[in-house]
Amino acid sequence: MSATHILFWFLSALAVVSALMVLFSKNPVHSVLWLIAVFFAISGHYILMNAQFLAIVNIIVYAGAIMVLFLFVIMLMNLNKESEPRKNVWMKLAGAISAGSLLMILVSLVGQATEVSHKTLIMKDGNIGLIKSLGKILFTQYVVPFELTSILFLSAMVGAVVIGKKD
Amino acid sequence: MTLLSIDTALVIEKLILIAVIIFASLGIALYTTFAERKVAAILQDRPGPNRAGPFGLLQPFADGLKLIAKEEIIPSGANKWLFILGPGLAMTAALMTCAVIPWGDKVELFGRTIALQVADINIGFLYIFGVVSLGVYGVMIGGWASNNKFSLLAALRGASQAISYELAMGLSMIALLMMTGTLQLGEIVKQQTGPGHHWNVIYQPLGFLIFLVCAFAECNRTPFDLPEAENELNFGYHQEYSSMKLGFYLFSEYINMFISSAVMATLFFGGYDLPFFNPANHTPNFAATIGIITLMAKVVMFIFFFMWVRWTVPRFRYDQLMNLGWKSMIPLALVNMLVTAVVILMRH
């Protein structure tokens, strides 16, 4: 077992345990903090695949910006254990069953897909995830989707300004 | 000598380097608190701390001992775990940035060439940016877990201030990135050294100014210390803290100041480069020592500037702070970025 294997299993266990803690925490602030731990574990996985740019952008965007906004909202709403609505047992059961079936379908689909079945994961080296190669691909091969995404962002920003403006 | 296909000597070398850098940062932060009081005293025409040891040099240790010896209080309404986690996060985020800063050129010890940088990663710039964006959590979690309205308000202020100024900081970094063409900090310093090369501040004066202002805001230093505005919020987000947990918060501010000074020196002032000194004419170890001393001198200059501003410029009002961030800094940074792009395009 090499160091990469040990790190892989450690990060995977961390990601799964943290994701479960997001669900099982009673306090919403704790849930957000566990979600940040999940993002860190996933960034660790990116680093194992030498996708440094993806790893750090994952941290900057998700852990550094979006989760801060989540924390903002939750702290200001002042959610407590007492104010949490009691859910019906049957509802919980139905939710668990439907989520479980969805998971089963997704897993079986990913397992059968030809796109992923004959590929091996490049660990430790390979420069696909480095910023230079990513930038070149984004601005040559995928320049149209890239520009479309930026238009989407612009429209979202304009929408936010319109909603946020007083009358 | 390999264990798990890792070079054990390399691991030991890096661990020693990390330990030295962290303890050096803590030591420098310790004496920065003393320097702050001395600078304040000089600016206000009074002697300052001069009782503990010669010239009061043992004052920081007396302060630290006092903080450790104080009673530890966790308020009964506080969220205990998060209350403890807050100062720890603030401290961790403050210390994490020093991993990518090149503290000097290579030295030769015991037949090994050791780079005085923990990790010259491909994304050095973005790593700093990522750690800066994580620095908010210490303030937010500490302020919320205290279960105190003033603390919560201060934490929200601190977080929104940090997020606002991160944008302008990132934009000024993009202009610098367009010039250097690399994100590696070691490479950026090398581009600024040697004859015919100039420090980045000559090419990016406006970018440096924006970065400096944002660094003040990110470190919660006056004139941007709104999260600790004592006349409005009593004591700010660490109001409920006592003993060494309070010490961690106060201390992390000084470490942040030290690290951001080092980052500014690296990005804009040539890092460990001493002008008119050619390292190739000297032995590597001597050149590296000169380099470390040069970098530290630059850092001390910046730290002094931080203090000078603190004791001369009054604090902004919160709306003024937001206006400055969103309506001046970000448009200025955008203009700077555009001008840089046009100039680079013309020179091609």
Side-chain angles (χ1 to χ4, degrees), chain B residues 265-287:
Chain B
T266 305
L267 290 180
F268 293 98
F269 282 84
Y272 51 79
D273 169 46
L274 182 66
F276 312 114
F277 172 79
N278 192 355
N281 297 343
H282 301 271
T283 56
N285 287 2
F286 177 70

Side-chain angles (χ1 to χ4, degrees), chain A residues 1-3 6 27 29-30 33 36 40 52-53 56 59-60 63-64 67-69 71-72 75-76 130-131, chain B residues 4-6 79 82 85 121-123 126-127 129-130 133-134 136-137 140-141 144 152 156 159-160 163 181 183:
Chain A
M1 211 145 117
S2 69
I6 295 173
N27 191 330
V29 173
H30 290 185
L33 294 178
I36 295 167
F40 269 91
Q52 301 180 4
F53 181 69
I56 201 70
I59 291 205
I60 292 174
M67 284 299 116
V68 171
L69 293 182
L71 217 52
F72 248 92
M75 282 177 180
L76 285 180
L130 295 188
I131 187 163
Chain B
L4 300 167
S5 73
I6 299 177
N79 187 322
L82 293 185
L85 188 68
I121 46 178
N122 200 279
I123 41 160
L126 288 172
Y127 175 86
F129 199 61
S133 66
L134 292 178
V136 187
Y137 284 113
M140 274 189 91
I141 288 171
W144 181 79
L152 181 62
L156 289 177
S160 41
I163 290 177
L183 290 163

Side-chain angles (χ1 to χ4, degrees), chain A residues 10-25:
Chain A
F10 171 71
L11 288 170
S12 308
L14 184 68
V16 171
V17 169
S18 312
L20 286 176
M21 288 307 287
V22 175
L23 297 178
F24 294 136
S25 297

Side-chain angles (χ1 to χ4, degrees), chain A:
Chain A
M1 211 145 117
S2 69
T4 318
H5 275 110
I6 295 173
L7 279 174
F8 174 79
W9 287 111
F10 171 71
L11 288 170
S12 308
L14 184 68
V16 171
V17 169
S18 312
L20 286 176
M21 288 307 287
V22 175
L23 297 178
F24 294 136
S25 297
K26 290 279 179 210
N27 191 330
V29 173
H30 290 185
S31 292
V32 170
L33 294 178
W34 281 112
L35 196 53
I36 295 167
V38 176
F39 288 133
F40 269 91
I42 291 175
S43 276
H45 275 299
Y46 285 139
I47 290 173
L48 277 187
M49 294 180 249
N50 206 19
Q52 301 180 4
F53 181 69
L54 272 183
I56 201 70
V57 165
N58 189 36
I59 291 205
I60 292 174
V61 174
Y62 284 95
I66 294 181
M67 284 299 116
V68 171
L69 293 182
F70 268 51
L71 217 52
F72 248 92
V73 173
I74 288 172
M75 282 177 180
L76 285 180
M77 291 212 309
N78 203 13
L79 297 172
N80 292 319
K81 272 178 212 156
E82 297 84 47
S83 62
E84 194 185 355
R86 307 288 297 163
K87 290 186 195 73
N88 195 335
V89 183
W90 292 107
M91 289 288 280
K92 281 185 188 169
L93 199 63
I97 289 173
S98 49
S101 339
L102 183 66
L103 178 73
M104 210 168 72
I105 293 169
L106 282 178
V107 167
S108 63
L109 271 179
V110 170
Q112 287 172 4
T114 47
E115 284 90 352
V116 289
S117 58
H118 296 296
K119 297 248 168 83
T120 45
L121 188 60
I122 308 168
M123 295 294 246
K124 278 200 313 195
D125 42 26
N127 54 3
I128 307 168
L130 295 188
I131 187 163
K132 221 161 217 164
S133 26
L134 255 180
K136 271 198 184 117
I137 286 185
L138 269 184
F139 283 102
T140 51
Q141 198 178 343
Y142 295 104
V143 67
V144 177
F146 182 76
E147 293 298 330
L148 283 179
T149 322
S150 63
I151 292 172
L152 187 69
F153 271 116
L154 186 66
S155 58
M157 266 161 70
V158 172
V161 170
V162 169
I163 292 171
K165 234 173 60 173
K166 283 178 205 153
D167 305 295

Side-chain angles (χ1 to χ4, degrees), chain B:
Chain B
M1 201 160 87
T2 51
L3 173 75
L4 300 167
S5 73
I6 299 177
D7 184 3
T8 318
L10 183 76
V11 173
I12 293 170
E13 171 197 313
K14 290 292 182 196
L15 280 179
I16 292 173
L17 192 63
I18 291 169
V20 167
I21 289 175
I22 284 184
F23 278 105
S25 309
L26 291 175
I28 288 170
L30 199 65
Y31 268 93
T32 316
T33 60
F34 174 70
E36 172 114 89
R37 294 174 67 178
K38 273 291 186 195
V39 169
I42 291 165
L43 290 176
Q44 293 166 354
D45 200 17
R46 56 187 172 84
N50 61 356
R51 297 288 147 176
F55 308 108
L57 274 174
L58 293 177
Q59 186 66 39
F61 291 99
D63 287 342
L65 206 65
K66 185 197 83 176
L67 276 174
I68 291 172
K70 275 199 163 187
E71 189 191 353
E72 187 123 14
I73 302 166
I74 296 181
S76 55
N79 187 322
K80 195 176 168 220
W81 288 111
L82 293 185
F83 192 78
I84 298 171
L85 188 68
L89 277 179
M91 201 68 167
T92 314
L95 282 171
M96 259 164 74
T97 324
C98 57
V100 291
I101 296 172
W103 298 100
D105 215 348
K106 293 179 176 61
V107 288
E108 276 168 23
L109 278 182
F110 313 115
R112 291 178 62 89
T113 311
I114 301 171
L116 290 178
Q117 185 181 18
V118 179
D120 194 9
I121 46 178
N122 200 279
I123 41 160
F125 247 59
L126 288 172
Y127 175 86
I128 291 177
F129 199 61
V131 175
V132 165
S133 66
L134 292 178
V136 187
Y137 284 113
V139 174
M140 274 189 91
I141 288 171
W144 181 79
S146 308
N147 195 21
N148 176 322
K149 287 193 181 81
F150 288 117
S151 299
L152 181 62
L153 272 178
L156 289 177
R157 270 186 177 194
S160 41
Q161 169 182 333
I163 290 177
S164 310
Y165 279 80
E166 254 167 41
L167 291 175
M169 190 184 233
L171 288 172
S172 72
M173 275 172 154
I174 287 177
L176 187 67
L177 165 69
M178 288 196 290
M179 275 184 39
T180 57
T182 177
L183 290 163
Q184 265 166 302
L185 290 182
E187 190 58 39
I188 289 172
V189 171
K190 285 207 185 80
Q191 284 178 359
Q192 299 177 65
T193 53
H197 299 276
H198 302 292
W199 291 352
N200 281 333
V201 68
I202 296 174
Y203 304 111
Q204 285 286 332
L206 186 60
F208 168 67
L209 194 68
I210 294 166
F211 195 93
L212 183 74
V213 172
C214 295
F216 270 80
E218 295 290 337
C219 293
N220 289 336
R221 293 286 299 183
T222 324
F224 304 110
D225 63 340
L226 270 300
E228 313 168 15
E230 55 283 82
N231 46 1
E232 299 160 24
L233 294 167
N234 289 343
F235 195 36
Y237 57 88
H238 41 47
Q239 187 181 10
E240 296 286 352
Y241 282 88
S242 62
S243 184
M244 207 50 206
K245 290 211 266 310
L246 173 66
F248 259 39
Y249 269 126
L250 300 180
F251 218 58
S252 69
E253 179 185 322
Y254 286 96
I255 294 176
N256 272 331
M257 204 161 86
F258 166 62
I259 299 284
S260 54
S261 301
V263 170
M264 281 190 287
T266 305
L267 290 180
F268 293 98
F269 282 84
Y272 51 79
D273 169 46
L274 182 66
F276 312 114
F277 172 79
N278 192 355
N281 297 343
H282 301 271
T283 56
N285 287 2
F286 177 70
T289 315
I290 293 286
I292 296 171
I293 293 170
T294 314
L295 180 63
M296 284 304 148
K298 290 171 188 173
V299 167
V300 168
M301 297 272 283
F302 274 119
I303 290 178
F304 174 72
F305 185 68
F306 268 98
M307 290 171 183
W308 189 15
V309 170
R310 170 163 181 184
W311 296 104
T312 39
V313 181
R315 180 185 292 138
F316 281 117
R317 235 176 30 231
Y318 198 68
D319 57 323
Q320 291 171 330
L321 170 95
M322 280 295 153
N323 277 343
L324 181 73
W326 288 95
K327 295 185 183 163
S328 312
M329 283 298 141
I330 291 179
L332 260 182
L334 282 173
V335 167
N336 183 41
M337 206 173 90
L338 271 178
V339 170
T340 312
V342 168
V343 169
I344 288 175
L345 200 64
M346 303 265 270
R347 288 185 59 186
H348 260 285

